Structure formats: C-alpha cells, structure tokens
C-alpha cells in the first residue's frame, strides 16, 4: 500500500471513529430509519418512573376523546409531552374540527395538510404513503393499517411527535415548536394551550434536564477526579449534537467525554475507536461513574469497533450526545438499550495513572 493510500485510510478510520451515529445525518429514506426513541425510557435523577402529566378538566372537555387518546399514546411512545402535542393540534386545526381548506383534503394556502398541518414535502412528498416504502419525511403509520395518511389523526399525531422529538422535545420544547412553525408567537400560543391542558398547569420537562439532578450524581462520585469529570459532562446537557464537536457549543459522543476528562487535566483518545481499547475493560454490573459504555451502532461498527459511547453517571444511567436527530445532550438509561459492546474504565489506563501521579506531585 502506498503512503498516500495509507494516509487516506487512516483519515477515513479516524473520522469514522468520531461517532458512527453521525450516519443518521444522511437523509431519512424509510420510517424504520428514524432513531429509536422509545427504547430505554427516560430515568429521572431519583431513579423513579417518569410521570405523565394528568389532564385538566379543560382538556377533557375540549379535546375529542379519540384525539386525547392519540396524543397521550403517541406522546408516551415517542417521548414527548402529550399536552404539547395537544397544543399543536388545537392551534393548527382545533383537533381536526376546523373546516378550513387542507384539514380534511387538499392543502391550505401555505401547502399544509391534515389535522397537524404538515407540509406535504415534510410529510414525505405525498399525502398518503405505503409503509414501508422509500421517502424523506415524517410520514408515519399510527394505526397499523399499512399507510401513512396525512389526513388520518393517528398517523399525523405520530408524525408530529417524531418531528418534535427530532428537534429537541421533551427537553427543549420551545425550540422543537419553533422548528414546527418558525414564529415565537406560535410557540407562546402552543405553550399556553399545553399548560391549560395539564392538571398542574405546566409543561413539564424530564427531571434529568434540570440542574437539580446534578448534585446527587456528583456527590456520589467515587473520587474528586470523577466528580470533576461528571460536573463538566452534566453541564453540557441541553447542547446539540455535532459530528466532530468538542465544544463549547456542541459535541459528538466521544467529544464530550474527551473534553470532560481534559477538564480535570487528563488526556484520553479523542474518538470512539480510540477510547474503546484505551480503558481497562469492566464487567457488566461493575461499572461506576466516570466509566464508559460502548455500543454497536450499525454498519461499520461491531464488537471490536464500537461506534457510539456514553459516560456512566450512575448505575444504569449515562450522559450522551447520541445523534443529530436524537435531541440534545441528555442523561438517559443504558440498561435496556440494545447493542452494548462493553464497559471500560479510562482511569485505570497506565498513561492516565501516570498523569494522576504527576498531578498529585505537582
């Protein structure tokens, strides 16, 4: 192999190792290619089950029973606030009751269609699409009849949930709504409606999106070094994923870990491919805060070349920058996520031990 070819191969492998989940940056071609948003659930900082906001009397009287069921069902399935979905449905078409053009057939003056008012191009290029088939968009089969029909409430609400999730919900709800309809007055109106539909009058966010969740995790760290690593990583929660990103505004999966260790004066490899062999392997169940958990993330990755990595913050939980379409950096669960390759402890690497010793001597 010539020197140029070797250099070319090294560059390819190095870039690939940044985070193989960047593959999802390519255009979506099938509904099945959307990231899995339901696997694993959303743990809170006290390790209790995520609660779903109870509905208010206003919700029960204003939202048709069929729509209310779909908002709650698809909101829970995808992982977005049901009352935000309902707020969109109310603002767009009064839960399908509007008689304006585009609600039940055709499109309105802006080209939007159906009860959730998708642009046909955003839906997938046609109002009704056979599932599965090849298309770009949020077209979804919410009732299992094999078709993604923009005029079908079950399909449209599921598609809307996916769109909100992709653009920041449930953590950054306002951002997700702004992408849905690029006007802040629209965001304000939907949030007001969503609040009225919740019994407590609020649009709740997952507890792991709150800074209050940081202190218990940091206090439980096995050492001061790990506490510093966790403080940095958790402080990045809510920032977007960026392939190759090492901050300060965005990160990829290995970038946030690299910078968290660097924050306490420790140097570890930059990429996922480099981080995997670097740390000492840890048996499942023995992992602790500061350890890394690696995943097989699809084509080009495997047991020896995992393509995604997260940092353990407590048993069963990790902070991760998952992918561009998966919402912001957040704390998630890994216990029931598929594709786990293994765990490592970078702090046991001889180079890191030497760095720690020099730091203590200094």
């Amino acid at each position: 192999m010539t020197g140029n070819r070797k250099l070319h191969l090294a560059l390819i492998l190095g870039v690939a190792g940044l985070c193989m989940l960047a593959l999802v940056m390519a255009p979506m071609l099938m509904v099945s290619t959307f990231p899995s948003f339901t696997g694993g659930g959303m743990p809170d900082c006290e390790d209790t089950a995520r609660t779903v906001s109870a509905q208010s009397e206003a919700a029960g009287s204003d939202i048709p029973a069929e729509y209310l069921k779909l908002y709650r069902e698809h909101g829970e399935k995808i992982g977005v606030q049901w009352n935000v979905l309902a707020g969109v449905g109310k603002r767009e078409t009064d839960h399908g009751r509007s008689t304006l053009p585009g609600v039940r057939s055709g499109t309105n003056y802006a080209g939007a269609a159906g009860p959730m008012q998708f642009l046909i191009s955003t839906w997938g290029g046609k109002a009704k699409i056979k599932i599965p088939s090849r298309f770009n968009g949020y077209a979804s089969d919410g009732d299992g009849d094999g078709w993604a029909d923009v005029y079908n409430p079950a399909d449209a609400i599921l598609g809307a949930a996916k769109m909100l999730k992709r653009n920041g919900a449930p953590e950054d709800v306002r951002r997700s709504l702004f992408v849905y309809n690029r006007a802040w007055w629209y965001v304000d109106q939907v949030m007001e409606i969503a609040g009225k539909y919740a019994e407590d009058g609020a649009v709740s966010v997952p507890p792991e999106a709150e800074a209050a969740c940081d202190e218990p995790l940091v206090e439980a760290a096995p050492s001061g070094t790990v506490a510093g690593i966790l403080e940095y990583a958790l402080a990045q929660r809510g920032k977007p994923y960026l392939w190759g990103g090492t901050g300060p505004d965005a990160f990829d999966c290995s970038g946030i870990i690299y910078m968290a260790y660097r924050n306490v004066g420790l140097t570890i490899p930059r990429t996922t491919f480099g981080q995997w062999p670097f740390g000492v392997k840890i048996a499942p169940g023995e992992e602790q805060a500061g350890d890394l958990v690696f995943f097989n993330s699809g084509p080009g990755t495997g047991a020896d070349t995992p393509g995604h990595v997260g940092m353990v913050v407590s048993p069963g939980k990790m902070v991760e920058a998952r992918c561009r379409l998966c919402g912001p950096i957040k704390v998630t669960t890994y216990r029931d996520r598929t594709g786990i390759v293994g765990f490592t402890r970078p702090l046991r690497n001889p180079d890191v031990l030497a760095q720690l010793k020099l730091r203590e001597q200094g």
Side-chain angles (χ1 to χ4, degrees), residues 4 32 45 76-77 126-127 152 177 179 274 305 321 338 350 353 355:
N4 287 339
S32 61
C45 55
E76 183 175 1
K77 177 181 179 180
K126 295 187 295 184
N152 182 320
L177 288 170
V179 176
T305 54
T338 60
L353 291 174
Q355 294 173 47

Side-chain angles (χ1 to χ4, degrees), residues 10-329:
L11 288 172
I12 291 173
L13 291 175
V15 171
L18 289 175
C19 217
M20 288 300 293
L21 275 177
L23 290 170
V24 298
M25 295 172 70
M28 296 296 169
L29 295 178
M30 299 182 69
V31 167
S32 61
T33 64
F34 274 99
S36 174
F37 298 126
T38 56
M42 301 284 287
D44 68 18
C45 55
E46 296 178 350
D47 219 6
T48 55
R50 178 164 57 99
T51 58
V52 178
S53 297
Q55 69 193 49
S56 65
E57 291 185 8
S61 62
D62 185 50
I63 305 173
E66 175 195 3
Y67 275 73
L68 182 57
K69 178 177 181 294
L70 291 171
Y71 293 137
R72 298 186 71 93
E73 176 184 319
H74 291 319
E76 183 175 1
K77 177 181 179 180
I78 300 303
V80 301
Q81 296 91 335
W82 74 267
N83 54 325
V84 173
L85 272 176
V88 173
K90 174 67 174 181
R91 177 59 184 79
E92 295 291 353
T93 67
D94 192 20
H95 310 300
R97 291 179 293 217
S98 171
T99 58
L100 293 173
V103 178
R104 295 179 177 84
S105 63
T107 61
N108 68 6
Y109 68 94
M116 303 303 280
Q117 290 291 277
F118 273 95
L119 297 175
I120 295 299
S121 58
T122 304
W123 183 250
K126 295 187 295 184
K128 190 171 184 178
I129 299 171
K130 182 67 177 173
I131 301 295
S133 62
R134 300 176 68 85
F135 61 89
N136 248 340
Y138 292 96
S140 305
D141 180 9
D143 58 5
D145 66 354
W147 290 92
D149 185 348
V150 75
Y151 303 106
N152 182 320
D155 299 349
I157 292 170
L158 178 57
K162 289 180 179 179
M163 185 172 182
L164 293 173
K165 180 72 175 186
R166 172 175 174 175
N167 291 300
E171 295 85 5
D172 195 345
V173 183
R174 291 182 63 84
R175 175 181 180 274
S176 70
L177 288 170
F178 182 79
V179 176
Y180 201 97
N181 188 333
R182 293 181 179 276
W184 288 114
W185 57 261
Y186 175 88
V187 174
D188 292 338
Q189 289 182 5
V190 171
M191 292 292 283
E192 182 180 1
I193 296 167
K196 291 178 179 178
Y197 283 160
E199 187 176 50
D200 60 3
V203 175
S204 60
V205 297
E208 65 269 20
E210 300 289 353
C213 291
D214 293 359
E215 187 174 349
L217 295 173
V218 174
E219 287 182 348
S223 69
T225 297
V226 173
I229 292 169
L230 293 186
E231 283 181 346
Y232 181 91
L234 290 169
Q236 313 316 311
R237 189 181 50 243
K239 294 182 179 180
Y241 174 95
L242 176 67
W243 185 57
T246 55
D249 300 321
F251 299 81
D252 70 5
C253 64
S254 56
I256 186 175
I257 293 167
Y258 171 76
M259 292 303 295
Y261 273 77
R262 184 175 172 179
N263 182 63
V264 296
L266 300 176
T267 300
I268 67 172
R270 161 67 185 89
T271 68
T272 309
F273 286 174
Q275 290 172 2
W276 168 241
F278 182 80
V280 173
K281 302 297 186 294
I282 301 297
E286 299 297 320
E287 70 274 9
Q288 63 185 26
D291 291 346
L292 308 185
V293 53
F294 293 84
F295 299 83
N296 175 355
S297 60
T301 71
D304 297 325
T305 54
H308 180 54
V309 61
M311 179 193 295
V312 177
V313 296
S314 67
K317 301 177 185 177
M318 63 180 172
V319 60
E320 65 170 340
R322 189 170 183 182
C323 72
R324 185 174 64 86
L325 306 181
C326 302
I329 294 168

